[in-house]
DNA sequence: CTCCAGGCGCCTT
DNA sequence: AAGGCGCATGGA
């Protein structure tokens, strides 16, 4: 065990921290100036991009920083990943526009629950819903400085003890019973998230699909953003639009099934990364227009 | 005001 | 198997 410190620099290059934390894969990061703050692995954590890489701080000194290295996936050689992408116009444009975009490795339950909230909502509103359930049900975490109070994402067992009414008071709308039902099944072990990273992508997806409010898209988000299944390819409205416009512009009728099959074969072993590049590329384009 | 948002579940053909 | 619709809420 190394000497405990409250600050550490991860020496990484080709890592766009802002793009990564604000690309719709995680919903808890808040930016103040050039500093990003959130609770990771039960610790209030701040991150800042520097010349040398990423500088991290925590409230209480820790000796082992592997929890954060793993979360940030600092060991990933992103140029190696990008090299596997198909060499076509859309991907070249997306890579050019999104240099340094990465995938995080989030907590499985937090990621899954967050995406249960995501259906038919804008990213800003997902963030607001997540913040409300953290404040109401999450454990308070020690937090340095004048940032106010910080709360961890509530566990499945804690949310399972909430009422649907309480969840609706967090403005979850019709998602409240979905989150409650999934919380109960996970906390009772009807769906085992603890082994989900080891059982293979397809088996893991089948497991997640047992949960109420979890369909193909939300399952794929959890598989990609928290389980490390890097070929999972979530198809949401943005990606649907991207695939239709960029790859099927000449076709009149493109079915979701067709796009699903295409995405699995076209984007290679790191298809999930390719998906995130396309997603971010489309959002940036829309933001400019 | 209307439109639609990192969809899902359920009900029709 | 495939398509349509309702759902709560609130930003644009």
């Amino acid at each position: 065990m190394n000497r405990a410190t409250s600050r550490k620099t991860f020496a990484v290059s080709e890592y766009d921290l802002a793009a990564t934390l604000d690309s719709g894969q995680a919903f808890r990061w808040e930016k103040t100036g050039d500093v990003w703050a959130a609770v990771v692995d039960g610790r209030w954590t701040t991150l800042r991009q520097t010349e040398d890489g990423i500088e991290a701080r925590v409230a209480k000194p820790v000796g082992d920083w592997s929890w954060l290295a793993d979360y940030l996936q600092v060991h990933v050689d992103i140029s190696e990943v990008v090299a596997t992408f198909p060499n076509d116009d859309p991907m070249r444009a997306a890579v050019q526009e999104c240099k340094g975009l990465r995938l995080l490795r989030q907590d499985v339950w937090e990621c899954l629950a967050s995406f249960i909230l995501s259906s038919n909502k804008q990213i800003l509103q997902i963030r607001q819903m997540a913040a409300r359930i953290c404040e109401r049900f999450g454990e308070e975490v020690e937090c340095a400085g004048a940032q106010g109070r910080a709360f961890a994402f509530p566990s499945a067992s804690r949310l399972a003890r909430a009422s649907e009414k309480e969840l609706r008071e967090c403005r979850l709308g019709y998602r409240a019973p979905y989150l409650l039902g999934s919380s109960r099944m996970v906390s009772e072990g009807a769906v085992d998230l603890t082994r989900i990273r080891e059982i293979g992508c397809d088996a893991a997806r089948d497991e997640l699909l047992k949960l109420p409010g979890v369909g193909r898209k939300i399952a794929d988000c959890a598989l990609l953003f928290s389980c490390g299944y890097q070929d999972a390819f979530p198809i949401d409205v943005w990606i649907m639009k991207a695939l239709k416009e960029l790859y099927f512009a000449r076709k009149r009728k493109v079915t979701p099934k067709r796009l699903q099959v295409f995405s699995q074969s076209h984007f290679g072993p790191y298809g999930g990364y390719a998906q995130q590049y396309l997603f971010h590329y489309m959002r940036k384009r829309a933001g400019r227009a």
Side-chain angles (χ1 to χ4, degrees), chain A residues 18-19 35 49 67 98 102 114-115 119 136 141 167 178 182 193 196 199 217 233 242-243 249 271 281 287:
Chain A
V35 177
Q49 185 118 41
W67 55 278
C98 310
R102 305 289 192 119
S114 298
F115 276 99
S119 89
R136 179 142 185 181
V141 169
L167 292 177
Y178 293 156
S182 289
L193 296 185
I196 205 92
I199 61 178
K217 189 269 169 181
F233 195 99
L243 295 180
Y281 173 53

Side-chain angles (χ1 to χ4, degrees), chain A residues 39-52:
Chain A
V39 175
V40 180
D41 200 36
R43 298 175 184 85
W44 181 79
T45 307
T46 67
L47 301 174
R48 189 170 66 89
Q49 185 118 41
T50 69
E51 290 179 357
D52 304 325

Side-chain angles (χ1 to χ4, degrees), chain A residues 71 80 85 101 131 144 154 157 166 168 173 175 179 203-204 208 210 230 239 248 262-263 267:
Chain A
Y71 179 90
E80 206 169 285
F85 293 169
L101 179 62
S157 58
E166 288 177 311
R168 283 184 185 271
R175 302 158 196 79
L179 181 61
L208 296 178
K210 294 176 182 171
Q230 298 169 321
I239 294 297
F248 293 89
F262 173 76
S263 69
F267 293 99

Side-chain angles (χ1 to χ4, degrees), chain A residues 89-196:
Chain A
D89 289 342
M91 282 312 303
R92 276 196 297 272
V95 166
Q96 182 65 32
E97 276 290 316
C98 310
K99 287 190 186 306
L101 179 62
R102 305 289 192 119
L103 290 181
L104 302 168
R105 179 76 57 91
Q106 301 175 59
D107 174 75
V108 177
W109 169 247
E110 175 171 346
C111 182
L112 179 64
S114 298
F115 276 99
I116 288 173
L117 303 182
S118 76
S119 89
N120 221 20
K121 276 295 180 190
Q122 300 177 166
I123 288 176
L124 172 61
Q125 298 177 317
I126 302 165
R127 297 169 56 83
Q128 292 168 344
M129 289 186 285
R132 284 191 285 262
I133 66 171
C134 289
E135 278 177 35
R136 179 142 185 181
F137 302 108
E139 288 190 23
E140 185 158 9
V141 169
E142 185 178 331
C143 131
Q147 279 80 6
R149 305 171 72 185
F151 298 87
F153 196 90
S155 66
S157 58
R158 178 62 192 92
L159 288 175
R161 283 185 278 114
S163 66
E164 184 177 322
K165 177 172 176 292
E166 288 177 311
L167 292 177
R168 283 184 185 271
E169 285 166 3
C170 296
R171 318 316 293 163
L172 304 195
Y174 65 85
R175 302 158 196 79
Y178 293 156
L179 181 61
L180 185 56
S182 289
S183 299
R184 288 178 175 161
M185 286 182 69
V186 167
S187 62
E188 290 162 1
V191 165
D192 183 6
L193 296 185
T194 63
R195 299 199 50 75
I196 205 92

Side-chain angles (χ1 to χ4, degrees), chain A residues 243 247-248 257-267:
Chain A
L243 295 180
Y247 291 98
F248 293 89
K257 177 64 180 170
R258 176 84 189 276
L259 294 179
Q260 190 72 251
V261 171
F262 173 76
S263 69
Q264 288 302 308
S265 61
H266 184 70
F267 293 99

Side-chain angles (χ1 to χ4, degrees), chain A residues 25-68:
Chain A
Q25 54 180 317
F27 302 98
R28 294 273 288 144
W29 289 97
E30 290 183 8
K31 189 183 183 194
T32 306
D34 63 344
V35 177
W36 296 84
V39 175
V40 180
D41 200 36
R43 298 175 184 85
W44 181 79
T45 307
T46 67
L47 301 174
R48 189 170 66 89
Q49 185 118 41
T50 69
E51 290 179 357
D52 304 325
I54 298 170
E55 183 186 82
R57 292 170 187 266
V58 291
K60 282 186 290 187
V62 291
D64 182 359
W65 287 81
S66 60
W67 55 278
L68 188 54

